[in-house]
Amino acid sequence: MAQSKVVAHRGAWKNTGAPQNSLESLKHAFEMKCGGSEFDINRTLDGKLVINHDADYAGLRIEEHTYADLNKTKLKNGEDLPLLESFLKLAKKYPNTLLFAEIKVAPSGAAASEKAAEETWKMVKKYKLLKHTVFISFSYEATLKLVALDKKAKVQYLTGDKSPDVLKAAGIPGLDYHFSVFEKNPDWLKKAKSLGLSTNAWTVNKQEVMESLLKQGIDYLTTDEPEMAMGL
Ligand code: MG
Protein backbone atom coordinates (compact mmCIF):
# COMPACT_ATOMS: atom_id res chain seq x y z
CA MET A 1 0.00 0.00 0.00
CA ALA A 2 1.23 3.51 -0.67
CA GLN A 3 2.74 4.65 2.61
CA SER A 4 0.97 7.99 2.19
CA LYS A 5 -2.31 6.23 2.97
CA VAL A 6 -1.21 4.66 6.26
CA VAL A 7 -2.12 6.46 9.48
CA ALA A 8 -0.58 5.00 12.65
CA HIS A 9 -3.32 4.86 15.29
CA ARG A 10 -2.02 6.48 18.53
CA GLY A 11 1.45 6.40 16.93
CA ALA A 12 3.45 3.27 16.12
CA TRP A 13 3.29 1.40 19.43
CA LYS A 14 2.12 -2.17 18.88
CA ASN A 15 5.29 -3.52 17.31
CA THR A 16 7.71 -1.05 18.89
CA GLY A 17 6.87 -1.35 22.58
CA ALA A 18 6.34 2.41 22.92
CA PRO A 19 3.35 3.56 24.99
CA GLN A 20 0.31 4.62 22.93
CA ASN A 21 0.02 8.37 22.45
CA SER A 22 3.62 8.99 23.58
CA LEU A 23 6.28 11.11 21.92
CA GLU A 24 8.17 7.84 21.42
CA SER A 25 5.29 6.26 19.46
CA LEU A 26 4.89 9.44 17.41
CA LYS A 27 8.60 9.44 16.58
CA HIS A 28 8.42 5.80 15.46
CA ALA A 29 5.55 6.67 13.10
CA PHE A 30 7.59 9.58 11.72
CA GLU A 31 10.71 7.47 11.26
CA MET A 32 8.71 4.74 9.50
CA LYS A 33 7.49 7.49 7.13
CA CYS A 34 3.82 6.75 7.75
CA GLY A 35 1.48 9.02 5.82
CA GLY A 36 -0.02 10.10 9.10
CA SER A 37 0.04 9.58 12.84
CA GLU A 38 -3.10 9.85 14.95
CA PHE A 39 -3.30 11.02 18.58
CA ASP A 40 -5.94 12.05 21.13
CA ILE A 41 -6.29 15.45 22.77
CA ASN A 42 -7.91 16.30 26.11
CA ARG A 43 -7.88 19.65 27.94
CA THR A 44 -6.84 20.00 31.57
CA LEU A 45 -8.49 22.18 34.20
CA ASP A 46 -5.73 24.77 33.72
CA GLY A 47 -6.11 24.79 29.95
CA LYS A 48 -3.24 22.56 28.86
CA LEU A 49 -3.88 20.36 25.84
CA VAL A 50 -2.57 16.89 26.65
CA ILE A 51 -2.28 13.69 24.66
CA ASN A 52 -4.22 10.80 26.21
CA HIS A 53 -6.89 8.49 24.86
CA ASP A 54 -9.29 8.45 27.79
CA ALA A 55 -11.01 11.31 29.59
CA ASP A 56 -9.25 10.02 32.73
CA TYR A 57 -5.50 9.70 33.34
CA ALA A 58 -4.05 7.80 36.28
CA GLY A 59 -7.53 7.63 37.81
CA LEU A 60 -8.08 11.39 37.55
CA ARG A 61 -10.60 13.15 35.31
CA ILE A 62 -8.38 15.27 33.06
CA GLU A 63 -10.74 18.23 32.69
CA GLU A 64 -11.07 18.50 36.47
CA HIS A 65 -7.34 18.43 37.32
CA THR A 66 -4.33 20.61 36.62
CA TYR A 67 -1.48 19.46 34.46
CA ALA A 68 0.87 19.52 37.46
CA ASP A 69 -1.39 17.11 39.35
CA LEU A 70 -1.88 14.79 36.38
CA ASN A 71 1.81 14.74 35.51
CA LYS A 72 2.75 13.33 38.91
CA THR A 73 2.18 10.03 37.11
CA LYS A 74 4.51 9.46 34.16
CA LEU A 75 4.03 7.26 31.12
CA LYS A 76 5.43 3.73 31.27
CA ASN A 77 8.57 4.81 29.41
CA GLY A 78 9.18 7.65 31.87
CA GLU A 79 7.85 10.43 29.62
CA ASP A 80 5.81 13.26 31.03
CA LEU A 81 2.13 13.18 30.14
CA PRO A 82 2.65 14.57 26.62
CA LEU A 83 1.57 18.07 25.73
CA LEU A 84 0.17 18.87 22.30
CA GLU A 85 2.88 21.51 22.08
CA SER A 86 5.61 18.86 22.44
CA PHE A 87 3.98 16.80 19.67
CA LEU A 88 3.91 19.82 17.38
CA LYS A 89 7.55 20.71 18.11
CA LEU A 90 8.60 17.19 17.13
CA ALA A 91 6.36 17.26 14.05
CA LYS A 92 8.18 20.31 12.69
CA LYS A 93 11.16 18.02 11.99
CA TYR A 94 9.09 15.50 10.00
CA PRO A 95 7.08 17.41 7.40
CA ASN A 96 6.17 14.33 5.34
CA THR A 97 3.85 12.80 7.92
CA LEU A 98 0.42 14.33 8.54
CA LEU A 99 -0.89 14.77 12.06
CA PHE A 100 -4.37 13.35 12.72
CA ALA A 101 -5.32 15.34 15.80
CA GLU A 102 -8.39 13.91 17.52
CA ILE A 103 -10.26 16.33 19.75
CA LYS A 104 -11.87 14.08 22.34
CA VAL A 105 -15.46 14.46 23.46
CA ALA A 106 -15.29 16.29 26.80
CA PRO A 107 -17.37 14.64 29.54
CA SER A 108 -18.74 18.02 30.64
CA GLY A 109 -20.37 18.66 27.27
CA ALA A 110 -20.18 20.11 23.78
CA ALA A 111 -19.01 23.58 24.84
CA ALA A 112 -15.85 22.10 26.36
CA SER A 113 -15.20 20.05 23.21
CA GLU A 114 -15.60 23.17 21.08
CA LYS A 115 -13.19 25.07 23.33
CA ALA A 116 -10.61 22.29 23.04
CA ALA A 117 -11.09 22.29 19.26
CA GLU A 118 -10.52 26.04 19.02
CA GLU A 119 -7.45 25.98 21.25
CA THR A 120 -6.01 23.02 19.34
CA TRP A 121 -6.49 24.83 16.04
CA LYS A 122 -4.82 27.96 17.44
CA MET A 123 -1.80 26.02 18.63
CA VAL A 124 -1.45 24.17 15.33
CA LYS A 125 -1.63 27.54 13.57
CA LYS A 126 1.03 28.98 15.91
CA TYR A 127 3.38 26.17 14.85
CA LYS A 128 2.48 26.72 11.17
CA LEU A 129 1.29 23.14 10.82
CA LEU A 130 -2.26 23.72 9.56
CA LYS A 131 -1.43 22.22 6.16
CA HIS A 132 0.02 19.17 7.88
CA THR A 133 -2.86 18.54 10.27
CA VAL A 134 -6.19 16.78 9.89
CA PHE A 135 -8.53 17.56 12.79
CA ILE A 136 -10.81 14.64 13.68
CA SER A 137 -13.56 14.31 16.28
CA PHE A 138 -16.59 12.31 17.38
CA SER A 139 -18.02 15.64 18.52
CA TYR A 140 -20.08 17.03 15.65
CA GLU A 141 -20.07 20.40 17.41
CA ALA A 142 -16.26 20.41 17.50
CA THR A 143 -16.05 19.67 13.75
CA LEU A 144 -18.52 22.48 13.02
CA LYS A 145 -16.48 24.83 15.22
CA LEU A 146 -13.32 24.02 13.28
CA VAL A 147 -14.83 24.72 9.86
CA ALA A 148 -16.38 27.94 11.20
CA LEU A 149 -12.94 29.07 12.43
CA ASP A 150 -11.14 28.14 9.26
CA LYS A 151 -12.88 27.15 6.09
CA LYS A 152 -9.64 25.64 4.78
CA ALA A 153 -9.12 23.40 7.83
CA LYS A 154 -8.79 19.71 7.07
CA VAL A 155 -11.51 18.11 9.21
CA GLN A 156 -12.94 14.59 9.37
CA TYR A 157 -15.96 13.56 11.40
CA LEU A 158 -15.65 10.22 13.22
CA THR A 159 -19.03 9.05 14.49
CA GLY A 160 -20.39 7.46 11.32
CA ASP A 161 -24.00 8.57 11.80
CA LYS A 162 -24.04 11.17 9.02
CA SER A 163 -24.09 10.51 5.29
CA PRO A 164 -21.58 12.14 2.95
CA ASP A 165 -24.37 14.43 1.68
CA VAL A 166 -25.12 15.71 5.19
CA LEU A 167 -21.43 16.42 5.86
CA LYS A 168 -20.99 18.16 2.54
CA ALA A 169 -24.02 20.37 3.21
CA ALA A 170 -22.62 21.26 6.66
CA GLY A 171 -19.25 22.24 5.16
CA ILE A 172 -17.34 19.40 6.83
CA PRO A 173 -14.74 18.33 4.28
CA GLY A 174 -14.06 14.75 5.34
CA LEU A 175 -15.11 11.63 7.15
CA ASP A 176 -13.22 9.02 9.15
CA TYR A 177 -15.61 6.19 9.97
CA HIS A 178 -15.35 2.77 11.52
CA PHE A 179 -14.81 0.30 8.69
CA SER A 180 -18.12 -1.44 9.49
CA VAL A 181 -19.96 1.78 8.55
CA PHE A 182 -18.65 1.43 5.00
CA GLU A 183 -19.75 -2.22 4.94
CA LYS A 184 -23.27 -1.21 6.03
CA ASN A 185 -23.36 1.70 3.55
CA PRO A 186 -21.55 0.34 0.52
CA ASP A 187 -22.15 3.45 -1.60
CA TRP A 188 -20.75 5.96 0.93
CA LEU A 189 -17.09 5.91 -0.12
CA LYS A 190 -17.96 6.44 -3.75
CA LYS A 191 -20.41 9.15 -2.82
CA ALA A 192 -17.91 10.89 -0.53
CA LYS A 193 -15.30 10.88 -3.29
CA SER A 194 -17.77 12.28 -5.81
CA LEU A 195 -18.49 15.13 -3.38
CA GLY A 196 -14.77 15.83 -2.91
CA LEU A 197 -14.69 14.73 0.75
CA SER A 198 -11.51 13.20 2.15
CA THR A 199 -11.99 9.64 3.39
CA ASN A 200 -10.46 7.59 6.17
CA ALA A 201 -11.41 4.48 8.19
CA TRP A 202 -10.59 3.29 11.71
CA THR A 203 -9.24 1.03 13.09
CA VAL A 204 -8.35 -1.33 10.29
CA ASN A 205 -6.03 -4.09 11.44
CA LYS A 206 -6.96 -6.93 9.07
CA GLN A 207 -5.44 -7.29 5.63
CA GLU A 208 -8.68 -8.27 3.87
CA VAL A 209 -10.50 -5.19 5.21
CA MET A 210 -7.60 -2.95 4.16
CA GLU A 211 -7.64 -4.42 0.68
CA SER A 212 -11.40 -4.00 0.30
CA LEU A 213 -11.25 -0.33 1.32
CA LEU A 214 -8.24 0.33 -0.91
CA LYS A 215 -10.14 -1.13 -3.86
CA GLN A 216 -12.92 1.36 -3.14
CA GLY A 217 -10.37 4.17 -3.35
CA ILE A 218 -10.17 5.26 0.30
CA ASP A 219 -7.66 8.05 0.99
CA TYR A 220 -6.39 6.89 4.39
CA LEU A 221 -6.46 3.81 6.59
CA THR A 222 -5.96 4.24 10.32
CA THR A 223 -4.36 1.16 11.82
CA ASP A 224 -2.57 -0.33 14.81
CA GLU A 225 -0.51 -2.30 12.26
CA PRO A 226 1.25 0.35 10.18
CA GLU A 227 4.17 -1.98 9.39
CA MET A 228 1.80 -4.59 7.92
CA ALA A 229 -0.25 -2.00 6.03
CA MET A 230 2.85 -0.46 4.44
CA GLY A 231 3.94 -3.90 3.31
CA LEU A 232 0.75 -4.57 1.31
MG1 MG B 1 -8.25 8.49 18.61
Side-chain angles (χ1 to χ4, degrees), residues 34-49:
C34 290
S37 192
E38 187 265 2
F39 51 88
D40 301 297
I41 301 164
N42 285 278
R43 186 179 184 277
T44 67
L45 180 64
D46 54 339
K48 302 277 194 241
L49 298 164

Side-chain angles (χ1 to χ4, degrees), residues 171-182:
I172 294 170
L175 52 82
D176 177 3
Y177 286 171
H178 189 261
F179 63 84
S180 65
V181 174
F182 297 120

Side-chain angles (χ1 to χ4, degrees), residues 9-10 21 38-41 52-53 100-104 136 138 158 176 202-203 222:
H9 181 235
R10 306 179 196 166
N21 276 317
E38 187 265 2
F39 51 88
D40 301 297
I41 301 164
N52 190 64
H53 179 263
F100 282 73
E102 180 179 350
I103 291 106
K104 299 303 288 190
I136 62 177
F138 285 95
L158 288 167
D176 177 3
W202 55 275
T203 302
T222 300

Side-chain angles (χ1 to χ4, degrees), residues 179-198:
F179 63 84
S180 65
V181 174
F182 297 120
E183 291 167 357
K184 279 184 209 124
N185 300 279
D187 57 329
W188 276 15
L189 270 175
K190 200 173 164 192
K191 183 72 185 173
K193 285 175 75 72
S194 75
L195 294 169
L197 303 179
S198 72

Side-chain angles (χ1 to χ4, degrees), residues 163-176:
S163 70
D165 285 311
V166 168
L167 294 181
K168 179 72 182 179
I172 294 170
L175 52 82
D176 177 3

Side-chain angles (χ1 to χ4, degrees), residues 63-110:
E63 66 178 356
E64 295 171 0
H65 289 83
T66 63
Y67 181 73
D69 273 348
L70 295 159
N71 194 40
K72 285 175 187 160
T73 304
K74 307 296 177 186
L75 302 192
K76 281 190 202 121
N77 64 352
E79 276 182 38
D80 287 330
L81 172 61
L83 292 162
L84 173 63
E85 191 153 25
S86 308
F87 267 43
L88 299 180
K89 281 180 186 163
L90 184 63
K92 292 295 284 180
K93 299 181 195 156
Y94 297 90
N96 297 322
T97 298
L98 294 174
L99 303 174
F100 282 73
E102 180 179 350
I103 291 106
K104 299 303 288 190
V105 172
S108 63

Side-chain angles (χ1 to χ4, degrees), residues 206-221:
K206 289 198 174 132
Q207 184 171 338
E208 60 267 29
V209 181
M210 290 179 184
E211 285 170 346
S212 163
L213 291 165
L214 285 171
K215 239 183 254 171
Q216 297 173 67
I218 198 157
D219 296 317
Y220 302 104
L221 288 174

